[in-house]
Amino acid sequence: MAAQNATHAPDHAPDAVRAADSVRDREIAAEQTHLDSVYRRLEEKIHEAEFLMDDAAKRGQVGTPGALAERDAQVFQAGVHLHRLNSEYEDFLFGRIDLLLGKDGKKGPDGAYTSVEPAEGAIVDNRAAIAETLHIGRLGVLDADYAPLVIDWRAPAAAPFYRATPVAPGRVVRRRVIRSKGRQVLGVEDDLMRPEVTATLDGEELPAIGDGALMAALGRARSHTMRDIVASIQAEQDLVIRAPAASVTEVEGGPGTGKTAVALHRAAYLLYQDRRRYAGGILIVSPTPLLVAYTEGVLPSLGEEGQVAIRALGSLVDGAEATAYDPPAVSRIKGSARMQKLLRKAARGALELGTAPDRLRVVAFGGRLELDADALHGIRQSALGGTAPVNLLRPRARRLILDALWTQSGAARRYTDPELAAEVRQGFDEDIATEPEFQEFLDAWWPELAPRGVLAAMADERLLSRWARRLLNPREVRRLARSLQRLGDRGNGPLSVHDVALLDELQLILGAPMRPARPREADPLDQLTGLEELTTFADRSSSGRGRRERLEEERTDYAHVIVDEAQDLTPMQWRMVGRRGRHATWTVVGDPAQSSWSDPDEAALARDEALGTRPRRRFTLTVNYRNPAEIADLAAKVLALAMPGMRSPDAVRSTGLTPRFAVAAADGAADAELARATAAEAARLLGEVDGTVGVVVAMNRREQARRWLAGLGDRVVALGSLEAKGLEYDATLVVSPAEIADESPAGLRVLYVALTRATQQLTVLSTGRDEPDAAGVPDLLRD
Ligand SMILES: Nc1ncnc2c1ncn2[C@@H]1O[C@H](COP(=O)(O)OP(=O)(O)OP(=O)(O)O)[C@@H](O)[C@H]1O
């Protein structure tokens, strides 16, 4: 059966074309037959599962725990398939490899021959017979005899699908990507790994169809959400995805080399490979909420979501959500490692802001006792000498006050018998400490501090300059204080992404106040101990969402932490992220050339501290899959200015479409003219691409740019330069490179990011400030 929308040659087409089409149709029909049998098998499994569920419901909880567990596991398996099928994934089955006989010809547990090299004599005179064909998909499916109908893409047997290249083909003769929608096969794309070999399958020659899957995938229009790359992962990427999760895996690569895609697929791989270990959760840290929104559909499409939390840096602390933006000069201060010390001083200093009277008077043994301001100050200082968090030092301070009062009472001298003295002392303490006045004094003198409250206190420039002595210069103090005024008196105002890392640090410095433990909700899954898959299923399915959200809320320590765009983490952010993976293994993904942080050395130091002395394994990705060469070459000019000597990755394709240069009023660009030109250029790009258009402006023009583009529809998005990080669009309009470059000391690297967002077309719009030449090319982009 041929797919309905497979393209057919018209009747007048030459014979050769028609013949090729009939081969294509035949191959599509063969894959359709296979897919039909996969679906038949899945339906059988679903019926089995439904029967089992029914049966289980009738019989109730009878049987041995082992038998119940086994039955539940079967129900789970079928449930997973049912869930997948109902989700109508476009390409449940997406790949196939045709293999020569392996060296030892032994089959592994998944039914595939284990050897990676062809057996002696598998190829004779450049002729070979295919020994084995494996189909690869998003989940594994076995037939009734336990032979694999589809192999999970993460299984070891599927690795050759990704790893084989014409240079190192191993046993793979042909790699095929199958395109399907729902239950229908739409097309196939083949790559021959040994083009010189004439291979046969069941006596018939193996045909090759199409131009390969990668190019087809790269040419597709982009939407506002990222797609998985499971059908076209490249060999160097596969090495990273499947790298053993020991200690720290570091991945570097230029723009578009697939770092984010690889990080997401790696999370799915690790879960598949060792679900029990990663039940502790995988955290993916992303720089912006926009990138989280862009990428969060990928893991569900790979069948994984429950155990993975994707969080933006500004949402890592529960109850805090960054919505405000700090200008570069302020973020440099807030992100710097100096803040650690400053926050400690501020937390301690904030204790003095309470409304406590400057002396404490109590009555004991019928007399008055009094501690004056100096005595109280001395007690506070010695209590703060402890290492515990400030809020947790309060009991110590209370004890020191009671000690001082006891000494003052002279009772210690009167009771020489230690036992009696201890008894009297206990009564003394109780008498004083239960007095409401004493408790009120203590509450005011050693108030329970909240992180937001301390940040708000730092908005007072006078206080801040006291706390920041020898840490910040007066200009920095003024900047920081002004920025924190945004939080208001009680600290409830909007937070920036950098404030969130400060809150996290303060939480550590202050310590969680003691609270009665919250009773945990009873969870039916807790009873199913030992059945990791069942837990997984509950998390995978949408009914597990409530539980997952709870897990995310409660969890502050993960089994694996993946940091995307790691080059941008400030020292304070590294400390925040590091605290979430104290016992974790790590995957750290980034590109120094795209760093928007002005002091990379300081950040590298903080990164080393967060990752500790764990051994590291390094990988480099070298091919740019996003930008056509025409765009990558232009961006490379900025890279040469930003980081001389740094090599940009090779673009995998070229489109023949060179970037366009436009100018908005050469004499200085009034905003109205810039608005008009931006809207016009964006509209032009919308007409030229089917998918999305990103308009990148300097951060302080974000709101303006949104207004300029109003009415152009939702295919176009306005972005501040820092928001563009990690995202991509079919076409990008970069407005005033000079403005972006001048925004901060890292401005050139930020501009490099902006110029590398387009998958098809790029327009650069200059203003007078860009000093464009006669052809409109701005100074920064000229040779
Ligand atoms: N093997 C592949 N097959 C198909 N598409 C791919 C492949 N590798 C990467 N891509 C695509 O290339 C684009 C860039 O990938 P990704 O965003 O992961 O790169 P990146 O290295 O994180 O880029 P940047 O550093 O610029 O943010 C994405 O659209 C991704 O889907």
Side-chain angles (χ1 to χ4, degrees):
M1 184 190 80
Q4 273 167 15
N5 24 1
T7 47
H8 289 272
D11 287 345
H12 57 268
D15 286 351
V17 176
R18 275 212 302 276
D21 261 9
S22 79
V23 175
R24 176 187 295 270
D25 286 351
R26 218 179 51 226
E27 292 297 306
I28 289 175
E31 300 305 350
Q32 183 69 57
T33 306
H34 190 77
L35 188 60
D36 291 343
S37 63
V38 172
Y39 274 97
R40 263 200 310 280
R41 179 66 187 144
L42 287 172
E43 272 156 12
E44 274 169 35
K45 296 296 291 175
I46 287 161
H47 286 141
E48 256 172 48
E50 282 168 353
F51 173 79
L52 278 169
M53 286 187 199
D54 212 34
D55 192 44
K58 280 193 202 120
R59 281 191 289 129
Q61 295 289 313
V62 291
T64 65
L68 286 173
E70 196 176 312
R71 185 206 61 211
D72 286 346
Q74 280 178 18
V75 171
F76 155 71
Q77 285 297 348
V80 169
H81 292 316
L82 187 62
H83 181 58
R84 303 321 318 278
L85 284 176
N86 290 340
S87 314
E88 283 235 17
Y89 284 103
E90 267 183 33
D91 41 6
F92 174 79
L93 170 76
F94 58 77
R96 159 182 173 156
I97 36 181
D98 296 282
L99 302 154
L100 299 170
L101 188 67
K103 235 182 187 137
D104 51 10
K106 278 198 200 108
K107 287 196 172 183
D110 50 7
Y113 289 107
T114 48
S115 155
V116 290
E117 286 303 318
E120 295 286 321
I123 306 173
V124 178
D125 294 338
N126 274 350
R127 303 189 69 79
I130 296 301
E132 185 181 16
T133 291
L134 298 178
H135 279 88
I136 323 282
R138 289 166 191 277
L139 283 175
V141 182
L142 299 177
D143 71 12
D145 301 324
Y146 295 98
L149 281 173
V150 183
I151 290 185
D152 189 303
W153 66 278
R154 295 165 292 188
F161 177 77
Y162 300 112
R163 299 268 172 94
T165 62
V167 179
R171 296 165 53 212
V172 183
V173 174
R174 183 180 67 177
R175 181 180 61 193
R176 164 167 289 176
V177 171
I178 301 167
R179 204 155 46 81
S180 59
K181 189 165 178 66
R183 297 185 176 209
Q184 189 163 40
V185 175
L186 300 180
V188 295
E189 296 281 341
D190 291 334
D191 288 299
L192 287 182
M193 297 297 141
R194 293 176 180 269
E196 72 289 357
V197 170
T198 307
T200 51
L201 178 62
D202 300 332
E204 293 213 18
E205 204 169 292
L206 207 61
I209 289 160
D211 305 322
L214 178 63
M215 291 306 156
L218 297 180
R220 249 186 280 176
R222 296 309 199 265
S223 69
H224 290 302
T225 51
M226 191 178 200
R227 301 174 64 98
D228 66 64
I229 59 166
V230 73
S232 55
I233 293 168
Q234 300 298 292
E236 67 175 16
Q237 299 173 326
D238 193 57
L239 282 175
V240 179
I241 293 171
R242 290 173 203 259
S247 313
V248 181
T249 305
E250 289 183 305
V251 188
E252 269 193 16
T257 50
K259 296 182 298 298
T260 301
V262 161
L264 294 164
H265 288 70
R266 179 161 170 74
Y269 174 77
L270 292 176
L271 282 168
Y272 168 84
Q273 193 242 349
D274 196 344
R275 207 167 281 289
R276 189 178 290 271
R277 175 167 171 193
Y278 295 106
I282 295 183
L283 171 68
I284 302 184
V285 181
S286 205
T288 63
L290 285 174
L291 192 56
V292 172
Y294 182 60
T295 52
E296 68 190 354
V298 172
L299 279 158
S301 84
L302 295 174
E304 301 292 351
E305 53 182 328
Q307 304 293 356
V308 185
I310 307 187
R311 296 271 197 116
L313 277 169
S315 327
L316 267 180
V317 174
D318 282 332
E321 185 76 48
T323 50
Y325 160 72
D326 284 321
V330 174
S331 44
R332 268 212 307 287
I333 303 168
K334 290 186 181 172
S336 143
R338 291 175 292 169
M339 289 304 288
Q340 242 184 94
K341 219 174 199 170
L342 172 55
L343 292 175
R344 265 207 305 276
K345 289 200 173 171
R348 284 152 189 252
L351 278 180
E352 288 166 20
L353 305 179
T355 49
D358 60 4
R359 60 190 59 232
L360 168 67
R361 291 198 180 106
V362 295
V363 176
F365 302 135
R368 288 167 73 91
L369 299 171
E370 180 175 314
L371 296 176
D372 63 12
D374 281 349
L376 287 170
H377 180 72
I379 290 173
R380 197 198 303 272
Q381 292 315 308
S382 87
L384 285 171
T387 51
V390 174
N391 283 331
L392 305 187
L393 285 172
R394 183 169 138 141
R396 175 180 156 106
R398 175 178 169 279
R399 192 172 42 74
L400 290 176
I401 289 185
L402 291 171
D403 283 351
L405 292 170
W406 172 254
T407 309
Q408 200 181 82
S409 75
R413 286 191 304 275
R414 287 199 296 277
Y415 298 97
T416 45
D417 171 18
E419 232 172 80
L420 183 60
E423 204 174 300
V424 175
R425 169 71 199 261
Q426 197 181 353
F428 174 87
D429 285 0
E430 271 166 22
D431 281 355
I432 294 176
T434 50
E435 280 299 316
E437 289 81 15
F438 179 79
Q439 285 171 8
E440 269 165 35
F441 172 83
L442 203 61
D443 284 345
W445 183 73
W446 200 287
E448 185 180 296
L449 296 174
R452 277 179 181 264
V454 176
L455 273 195
M458 290 165 65
D460 181 322
E461 193 177 326
R462 200 180 42 83
L463 284 175
L464 184 64
S465 65
R466 176 152 27 108
W467 297 332
R469 204 169 295 143
R470 287 193 290 276
L471 292 170
L472 303 183
N473 65 36
R475 208 160 137 204
E476 290 175 317
V477 167
R478 193 163 324 121
R479 278 207 171 115
L480 180 57
R482 284 214 184 127
S483 154
L484 292 173
Q485 281 159 15
R486 185 189 336 108
L487 288 167
D489 288 347
R490 305 175 60 90
N492 293 332
L495 297 162
S496 74
V497 65
H498 297 288
D499 294 335
V500 172
L502 301 185
L503 284 184
D504 197 59
E505 187 80 27
L506 277 168
Q507 222 149 39
L508 183 82
I509 294 170
L510 298 176
M514 313 252 203
R515 294 238 156 73
R518 232 187 330 152
R520 204 163 89 79
E521 253 177 78
D523 190 331
L525 281 168
D526 291 347
Q527 291 153 21
L528 297 167
T529 46
L531 270 182
E532 51 178 357
E533 288 288 82
L534 269 172
T535 313
T536 308
F537 172 51
D539 285 340
R540 279 173 161 191
S541 66
S542 51
S543 65
R545 190 167 289 274
R547 175 184 161 84
R548 189 169 68 248
E549 277 162 7
R550 232 169 38 243
L551 276 180
E552 280 181 20
E553 255 173 41
E554 288 164 9
R555 190 166 278 157
T556 48
D557 211 355
Y558 291 82
H560 191 84
V561 180
I562 298 180
V563 185
D564 194 8
E565 307 282 355
Q567 75 281 352
D568 280 335
L569 264 61
T570 67
M572 293 308 288
Q573 287 169 341
W574 269 118
R575 290 177 58 79
M576 168 174 68
V577 175
R579 286 193 274 274
R580 281 150 182 80
R582 272 176 287 223
H583 312 291
T585 49
W586 291 70
T587 301
V588 178
V589 167
D591 176 15
Q594 296 183 61
S595 170
S596 46
W597 180 241
S598 53
D599 189 345
D601 290 345
E602 195 193 21
L605 210 68
R607 169 179 171 146
D608 287 347
E609 254 173 48
L611 300 177
T613 51
R614 301 172 174 96
R616 302 186 186 189
R617 247 185 110 178
R618 286 197 146 215
F619 293 87
T620 307
L621 299 176
T622 59
V623 179
N624 177 350
Y625 297 100
R626 177 188 299 127
N627 311 127
E630 293 79 358
I631 293 175
D633 291 349
L634 185 72
K637 292 183 185 165
V638 173
L639 180 65
L641 295 176
M643 298 190 89
M646 183 100 175
R647 207 171 164 258
S648 53
D650 302 321
V652 77
R653 72 205 158 110
S654 98
T655 54
L657 295 168
T658 49
R660 177 180 147 79
F661 296 99
V663 179
D667 59 351
D671 277 1
E673 165 59 6
L674 191 58
R676 189 205 57 74
T678 303
E681 291 301 328
R684 169 196 268 271
L685 288 171
L686 281 168
E688 286 180 7
V689 297
D690 292 335
T692 51
V693 174
V695 176
V696 188
V697 296
M699 283 303 279
N700 61 7
R701 284 207 190 267
R702 278 179 307 166
E703 297 307 326
Q704 252 181 331
R706 272 169 208 151
R707 288 196 299 276
W708 296 345
L709 300 175
L712 287 182
D714 59 6
R715 278 201 297 133
V716 63
V717 186
L719 299 157
S721 56
L722 295 176
E723 294 171 322
K725 195 127 281 181
L727 298 173
E728 63 184 13
Y729 299 89
D730 280 344
T732 308
L733 171 62
V734 175
V735 178
S736 187
E739 258 186 36
I740 294 173
D742 293 345
E743 269 180 309
S744 75
L748 278 173
R749 294 195 294 266
V750 177
L751 174 60
Y752 178 58
V753 174
L755 291 169
T756 50
R757 298 304 100 195
T759 67
Q760 294 176 31
Q761 299 213 31
L762 169 67
T763 299
V764 178
L765 177 61
S766 296
T767 67
R769 178 171 177 171
D770 292 284
E771 299 172 34
D773 64 11
V777 182
D779 184 42
L780 279 170
L781 299 179
R782 287 202 285 272
D783 285 324

